[in-house]
Amino acid sequence: SACEKGNEFTKGINLFKEMIAAGILPDAHVYNAVISVCEKDGQWKLALNLLKDMENRKIRPDVITYSAVISACNKGPWDFSLKLFEEMKERKIKPDTVSYNAALTACNKGGQWEYALQLLEEMKRNHIPPDKISYSVTLGACEDNGKYEESFRVLSEAIKRGFFDHSFKYYDASNQDALDLHGYTSGVSKALVRYCLKAKDNPSDFGLLRDAMKGRSNSLWIITGQGNHANKDGRRGVLKKEILSYVQDELKYPVVIQPDNRGHILVLCGRSSDKCSFSKNELIK
């Protein structure tokens, strides 16, 4: 566990191998710690082998074990993650929020938006509270597969539960609203943008945002950052470019880029497109 917290992944795995070589039999806690190290280091094959090794040694895996292995497999074949999740339930090991989120991440990776929606509903039926990750990953799965009505319903519920409150900002000086997209994936960002622009165009229909969006001006600031940060794979951030193209080319809103603040996009509201439109009975008051 100390090696995991210190990002010394190779050292942690080597210590485990030394234990086995010295004849020290690990228990479930030790296996869980090492599998968690594998997950953080992207070693999904080793995580699967460790799960099998537990079985061979008659050590019963628990919810922590499966959650870590499922998460590890998300760095590899996503379908393995979903198979493990179903196996977990078949063995009467009750999934928790972490387990569900790992399975939802696999759904997002594999484009399984329908299964993601099923899992989200299953969480609520089983009284396992979805968190912001649960909603964000499900939202991304729907959004990335063009399921805009489903995306809208998921986002509406998440907003109602307060999971995106910190994203809505208000500039007193200019009486303008802003949407902060820092930390969100492209799919989640696009859903938030579309939702907020529709809310600006039709404020009476979007009761959930009446308190969050206080500005009276017919515009919305979108905060994307300049894209100068590096992602985990070394690529530079691309969110600003994607959102700018999305707002202009797909949603057909005019925008203004401020020369002195290139991490902000000013959207001029008052018009919308089909992708921004929802029927009256789909709007949550």
Side-chain angles (χ1 to χ4, degrees), residues 229-237:
H229 69 285
N231 294 314
K232 290 182 179 180
D233 60 3
R235 295 181 299 110
R236 310 309 288 180

Side-chain angles (χ1 to χ4, degrees), residues 28-206:
H29 296 295
V30 174
Y31 271 103
N32 288 347
V34 180
I35 291 172
S36 184
V37 168
C38 293
E39 184 264 317
K40 298 293 189 301
D41 199 30
Q43 299 197 45
W44 61 273
K45 291 182 180 179
L46 181 55
L48 284 173
N49 288 335
L50 288 170
L51 178 62
K52 185 176 180 180
D53 193 51
M54 289 182 73
E55 303 284 359
N56 292 337
R57 295 178 185 274
K58 310 299 182 184
I59 300 173
R60 179 175 170 78
D62 57 18
V63 62
I64 297 174
T65 315
Y66 269 98
S67 296
V69 179
I70 293 168
S71 295
C73 286
N74 282 332
K75 309 291 177 59
W78 59 267
D79 55 324
F80 280 24
S81 296
L82 296 183
K83 289 175 183 177
L84 285 165
F85 184 73
E86 292 303 323
E87 175 185 302
M88 174 187 187
K89 293 192 290 184
E90 289 172 3
R91 299 187 64 177
K92 308 301 181 184
I93 299 174
K94 185 178 179 181
D96 58 10
T97 302
V98 176
S99 313
Y100 272 102
N101 286 349
L104 286 167
T105 299
C107 292
N108 190 10
K109 184 178 179 182
Q112 304 297 303
W113 63 272
E114 289 178 296
Y115 191 39
L117 291 173
Q118 291 175 23
L119 291 181
L120 189 65
E121 291 304 314
E122 186 178 294
M123 290 180 76
K124 291 180 281 186
R125 283 199 309 272
N126 294 335
H127 305 290
I128 300 171
D131 60 13
K132 187 175 181 179
I133 296 174
S134 313
Y135 281 104
S136 295
V137 178
T138 305
L139 183 61
C142 294
E143 192 72 20
D144 292 343
N145 287 278
K147 302 302 176 182
Y148 301 116
E149 292 185 6
E150 291 80 1
S151 168
F152 178 81
R153 287 195 290 270
V154 172
L155 180 56
S156 296
E157 185 175 314
I159 290 175
K160 187 176 182 179
R161 291 173 179 244
F163 287 123
F164 290 98
D165 284 354
H166 75 283
S167 303
F168 305 116
K169 303 183 183 298
Y170 173 67
Y171 296 149
D172 272 317
S174 58
N175 194 26
Q176 289 179 315
D177 294 306
L179 174 64
D180 190 345
L181 300 180
H182 279 100
Y184 294 132
T185 63
S186 175
V188 173
S189 296
K190 289 178 179 178
L192 280 166
V193 166
R194 195 174 60 254
Y195 190 104
C196 288
L197 290 177
K198 186 62 180 175
K200 292 293 287 186
D201 284 346
N202 301 278
S204 62
D205 290 339
F206 283 71

